[in-house]
Amino acid sequence: MGEGSSAIATKIRSKFGKFLTLADYKILTQKGDINDAITFISSLPQYSEAFKGTAGMALRRGTAEEVFEKHFYSVYEELLNFSFTVKEGFISYYIKREEIRQIINAATYIGAGVSDLIAYNFPAFLVSDVRFDVNELMASADFRQFVSALENTDYYNILLPLADSVKFPEIPVIEKALIDHYYTWLLESIKNGYPDEEQPELEKCVRHAVDIHNLKLCYRLKGLLGLSAEETEKYIIELYGSFKKEDIVQLLSAGDSKEMLQQIVKLPWLNVEPETADKGFEYILGISDYKYYRSRLFMSENESIVLYSFMDLLRKEKGNLITVIEGIRYSVDPSQIENMLIIP
Amino acid sequence: MAVEKMSLVTVSGPIRRANKALIRCCETGCFHIEPSLYAMTYGSAHFKTLKDKKNIYGNLIKRMSLLASGLGIPEKNVPYDDIQMEVIHDFDVYLSAIESDTASLIETKKEIEERIDKYEQAMRYVENLDLLDTDFRNLTDCKYVKVRFGRLPSDNYKKLRFFSDKGFVFVPLEENEGYVWGVYFTSYRDCSQNDEIFSNLYYERIYIPDYVSGNGQEAKNKLNEKIAAERKELDEVLGKLAAVRQREEEKFCKVRSKLRFLNDSYELRSKVAVVDNKFYMLGFVPTRELSSFKEKILGVQDVEISEQQYFLDDKMKPPTKLKNNRVFKPFEMFVTMYGLPSYTGIDPTSFVAITYMLLYGIMFGDLGQGLVISLLGFIFWKWKKLKLGLIMERIGISSAVFGYFYGSVFGNEELITPFYHIPQISEVLGHPKNIFEVSSYLLIAALMIGVVLIIITMVFNIILSFKRQDYASALFGANGFAGMLFYVSLIAGVACQMGLGIELMTTPYVVCLILLPLAVMLFKEPLSTAFSAKIKKSVLSFTENLVADNSVRAFEQRRDKSGAVNIDKLADMKYIRSVYGAIPKKALESISDISEKDIAFVPISEDGDKICGVYFASKKEKAAADDIFDSLGFERRKMPKELLEERKKVKKSEKGEKKSVGGFLIEGFIELFETCLSYLTNTMSFLRVGGFILSHAGMMLVVGALSGSDMSASYIIVQILGNAFVIGMEGFIVGIQVLRLEFYELFGRFYISDGKEFTPLKVNN
């Protein structure tokens, strides 16, 4: 690891030091209404710039999320420009992920007949970087037109096999194809862009993300929506890390969500206490993920992993802040809100 | 180390003289009034306060404020001795006359100002649209095309490209502060759809007023012309008002000052008690000013003054007024900042003054810079009346004296011979060339200063603790005799052993002078309980918590919860006296002022027109409580059995909560370790005294190196800037560090700040 890498890692780690502490959240949960909460958040040095333009606005959750998203992108861009000489390949994952998210959103909105929302909810930071024509996407009347709108991108070949009819396939099918493509692309980028000795750690990091994605699918589709094990397996991304195929089969053999949860907390790679089973699936997953990326942030010598981990942790903080904002909106008891926060 | 001696006086007289007496008391500037409740304890239970009507001057004050703002007369207090107006009617006539002259002018001024505001608001919009090269009117008058002016967030401006097929055209004109200002055109047919799109993109529409016409630049010019015309008209009105102002200002200010004085003095009437058409004011006057106070007050016809006896521990707490000579007086600011001593306490001002000047001088010793600080202090005091200026004067001189000793003049150490170059001293110190070569001696000297100051504060604590009859703190405390013995023995032992090579730390020395005091501190709690019980048993009779617990339980079981006075205080109060009895219901309602005191009344049952209950009072308030309740017609009765019944049970449970021997020892050892650690850290803290001497020399060395040795313009500039920087930064930091040493290392050992400030009665604050 060169001096430059060390500098970016140190800069990123110092930014992590500014994350909100439990004491901050305790103050925040005591706020009387959302505006007070937003005022408090915007008074924090790390968010003051992000909320600068919102003074005097009655902020809703949606607007707050937009502000966070914009802020995260500016943080990502700043860190990227700070020392990464190569800005393509794996490290450009942020844009790729956002593009995929917007395509899935677009398919959902068109399916629901509210294509205008594609434009309204499109992140402003992506407008100049996006590689497909959003107008064309919005105007698409059927799935073939939708796929045509993506013609000049790598998503075209991914979605084309699904366009055997004009009808939109089910969203999980589109989602599976795109997410599979995303992780495959990440792994290929690692292979092509990094020296041999750095590849295993990066690959492990990506496969961990796949494991988490697969675990979510198993619990949500089988445990919550009641799909059969076979049906659920169809949506699994087969780029396994620690969560192997046999583990998935065993988990899907569980009778109900409660039984699944008992099995989940025992998964050694998740690194959670069995008692956390009472706190619910989202909490378990959040805590496990938080611990994983926090350890990567501090232990890894690879600047790309440090940045990748940091951005994920930033999202966890956003999740916590939104939990508090929603808690205040619905007058949830502060202690109850604190219980929902993802802070290991 | 003195606190001004106080005399308690009652000013009384017929009620018609109350206002005049009150005003005269304010004028003396030395009367600290106590709440009317106390005045009542010297009269009858059936009292009321003088302020029983709403403020009669409020309306006149409001009218004067309106006139002042209309005429532009600034707020200021001026002498008003020549103003003969006394009653409300006089003021009313005066104000009415001015109002008749100015009412229409003020109204016109207000209208013009509103119009200017309106035009300026429109101007702010138009300024952001001034690149528009079409007439606003042409656009707003379009029949088939709708035009919307406004701004949208820059982020959302980027998204407009997604709606390029929606039948609107957006023309951006300017971008600032995260917004793009512009105008969009839409067909009449698509208007509602496009309005919705823009609304969803947070487009903030602005409405261009009808009077705005021409293109952006023209509209701007026209608005400027309108604003200029209005300003001209405003100037004319202001000119007329200025004439009235010129004519009336002097008298107006005087009348306003007098009216405000009357109004404020009226507010003070709540502190005056009235009984049988006679008023009573009770308060403290510094004894040395008593005769002049009497002389002034007795000038009011029919008013009498009588001196009252008061007991320092029992009655109301006398206020504290510090009394120091001219040299030390400015340092009262630091003592007040920390908290005033009680009337019976010790005033540490002179100790602070001496140690502050000494430590500051040692840490920031420079003849030239010290004199500059002193001069700056003098200027601050004369120019801005800053109290800190007086302190700067003194510490500057101290700095200069030590600077002479160090041989430093604006960092130059060649003009005066420093102490370490004096042959005899230089010999002892090993012929040092500069101050850095004596750094170890400086640090040892700094530690010695710290040790001496800490021992002095321990002695203070022992004396004061005896004075307060807190024998446990005096004898067994960490800052008491045991602590001092341990500290002195340890320091002496270590110093002799390491510095002089004398074997002082023998077994009997260690056991008797180090371990024994430590053991005493460890067992401070049981020792002090045994000791204080012996002393206090014969003096005070303690009331059990049980009575309070039972009383509160009985009160909570009552359906009627009225009549409880400050019951919430019971939890925090160290009550030592509980008296059961009956009080007339009406009398109980009249003691609202009791909230200031550590007294609580818990009603338990009703007996006809009386309420039976218990009153609790702390040690210092017990006599006042007895006085108050006696004067309210409180009839003492025997404490009912049920309030004492569960004594055994409660005692048992209390026993159960006692600490185990193991627990006590663990806690004791931890506390002892902390105490020992604090001796060490507090002493080491004084190392900074030596550290700052070196740091000052280091900083001036840098200034010297930067300026070079040749006398040139750059040399002078660097020397001036460097010295200014060192005075500003280091002078300030040393000031704070010394204050920290005072407050944290010294005050914490002996000083208790539980005094109340002497605040002479005054109006027009």
Side-chain angles (χ1 to χ4, degrees), chain B residues 641-657:
Chain B
K641 270 185 185 172
E642 59 267 27
L643 294 184
L644 300 162
E645 239 170 18
E646 288 184 71
R647 184 188 292 263
K648 281 179 188 168
K649 228 188 230 174
V650 171
K651 279 202 164 174
K652 252 186 198 169
S653 69
E654 276 174 355
K655 251 184 189 172
E657 285 166 14

Side-chain angles (χ1 to χ4, degrees), chain B residues 474-487:
Chain B
L475 298 173
F476 317 128
N479 294 309
F481 185 72
M484 191 171 81
L485 189 63
F486 167 78
Y487 184 69

Side-chain angles (χ1 to χ4, degrees), chain B residues 585-602:
Chain B
K585 279 181 184 171
K586 275 188 182 173
L588 196 61
E589 285 162 10
S590 67
I591 52 166
S592 56
D593 277 355
I594 208 171
S595 61
E596 288 175 15
K597 304 185 77 56
D598 272 351
I599 299 172
F601 179 74
V602 183

Side-chain angles (χ1 to χ4, degrees), chain A residues 60 70 119-120 122 134-135, chain B residues 155 159 161-162 164 197 202:
Chain A
R60 289 165 292 188
K70 187 183 162 195
Y120 294 136
F122 201 86
V134 180
N135 285 38
Chain B
D155 281 348
K159 295 187 193 174
R161 66 169 77 165
F162 301 150
S164 53
I197 288 173
Y202 303 108

Side-chain angles (χ1 to χ4, degrees), chain B residues 471 527-540 542:
Chain B
Y471 303 110
L527 279 172
S528 58
T529 313
F531 200 73
S532 62
K534 260 188 190 172
I535 295 169
K536 287 183 181 172
K537 218 170 187 178
S538 57
V539 187
L540 302 164
F542 286 93

Side-chain angles (χ1 to χ4, degrees), chain A residues 53 57 60 62-63 66 70 116 118-125 127-128 130 134-135 138-139, chain B residues 153-156 158-166 177 179 193 196-198 200-202 204:
Chain A
M57 276 170 76
R60 289 165 292 188
T63 332
E66 256 179 53
K70 187 183 162 195
D116 275 1
I118 299 172
Y120 294 136
N121 294 334
F122 201 86
F125 63 82
V127 172
S128 48
V130 69
V134 180
N135 285 38
M138 279 166 69
Chain B
S154 300
D155 281 348
N156 289 350
K158 293 177 192 164
K159 295 187 193 174
L160 281 181
R161 66 169 77 165
F162 301 150
F163 301 96
S164 53
D165 58 342
K166 294 293 181 189
E177 292 171 358
Y179 285 91
Q193 175 205 302
E196 199 184 326
I197 288 173
F198 273 87
N200 286 333
L201 292 171
Y202 303 108
E204 289 170 31

Side-chain angles (χ1 to χ4, degrees), chain B residues 239-519:
Chain B
K240 288 177 190 167
L241 284 172
V244 180
R245 176 182 158 172
Q246 202 175 3
R247 195 181 69 217
E248 293 293 337
E249 184 170 4
E250 194 184 345
K251 190 177 178 187
F252 185 90
C253 286
K254 287 178 181 177
V255 173
R256 184 169 54 185
S257 296
K258 179 157 190 176
L259 191 60
R260 194 157 289 149
F261 178 81
L262 291 171
N263 178 61
D264 292 348
S265 65
Y266 196 86
E267 290 291 320
L268 295 174
R269 289 157 65 102
S270 63
K271 298 197 173 192
V272 181
V274 175
V275 181
D276 300 333
N277 282 328
K278 244 185 136 182
F279 76 86
Y280 292 87
M281 282 188 277
L282 186 76
F284 287 95
V285 176
T287 307
R288 65 190 170 93
E289 293 178 58
L290 188 60
S291 54
S292 67
F293 175 77
K294 278 182 179 174
E295 202 178 303
K296 281 175 191 160
I297 298 300
L298 292 174
V300 182
Q301 210 180 350
D302 303 330
V303 170
E304 295 165 7
I305 293 181
S306 60
E307 262 188 84
Q308 302 289 339
Q309 287 293 316
Y310 64 97
F311 304 97
L312 290 174
D313 284 341
D314 294 333
K315 297 268 177 186
M316 74 205 78
K317 204 170 161 184
T320 306
K321 188 181 178 194
L322 303 177
K323 189 173 81 176
N324 287 288
N325 61 38
R326 279 182 63 190
V327 179
F328 298 158
K329 199 160 184 62
F331 292 90
E332 285 178 1
M333 188 176 94
F334 290 152
V335 176
T336 314
M337 202 189 283
Y338 190 89
L340 281 170
S342 70
Y343 180 67
T344 51
I346 186 173
D347 171 14
T349 308
S350 47
F351 175 71
V352 173
I354 294 168
T355 51
Y356 196 93
M357 288 191 282
L358 189 74
L359 290 172
Y360 191 92
I362 294 173
M363 290 163 81
F364 190 78
D366 190 294
L367 180 61
Q369 292 175 350
L371 292 174
V372 170
I373 290 177
S374 209
L375 182 69
L376 284 174
F378 176 76
I379 295 169
F380 286 161
W381 170 247
K382 285 286 167 202
W383 183 38
K384 287 276 175 190
K385 290 284 169 215
L386 273 182
K387 282 186 185 169
L388 195 63
L390 291 173
I391 293 177
M392 283 171 73
E393 277 180 25
R394 285 147 180 81
I395 57 176
I397 291 168
S398 168
S399 168
V401 170
F402 278 93
Y404 180 80
F405 187 56
Y406 298 150
S408 172
V409 185
F410 292 117
N412 186 327
E413 294 182 357
E414 284 161 11
L415 298 175
I416 306 172
T417 310
F419 73 96
Y420 48 85
H421 283 173
I422 298 169
Q424 295 84 341
I425 298 174
S426 177
E427 182 81 35
V428 176
L429 298 176
H431 304 288
K433 285 182 191 135
N434 55 46
I435 197 152
F436 296 107
E437 288 180 16
V438 291
S439 57
S440 51
Y441 291 105
L442 285 176
L443 294 176
I444 292 169
L447 280 181
M448 283 166 65
I449 291 172
V451 169
V452 171
L453 288 177
I454 289 174
I455 293 171
I456 291 174
T457 53
M458 283 175 166
V459 173
F460 282 165
N461 180 59
I462 294 170
I463 296 169
L464 286 170
S465 299
F466 274 118
K467 211 173 162 188
R468 286 196 302 270
Q469 296 183 343
D470 185 356
Y471 303 110
S473 164
L475 298 173
F476 317 128
N479 294 309
F481 185 72
M484 191 171 81
L485 189 63
F486 167 78
Y487 184 69
V488 172
S489 308
L490 191 68
I491 297 277
V494 172
C496 286
Q497 194 114 3
M498 295 175 74
L500 306 172
I502 303 168
E503 276 288 334
L504 205 59
M505 297 287 242
T506 56
T507 312
Y509 182 91
V510 172
V511 171
C512 298
L513 298 176
I514 296 177
L515 294 180
L516 189 64
L518 275 179

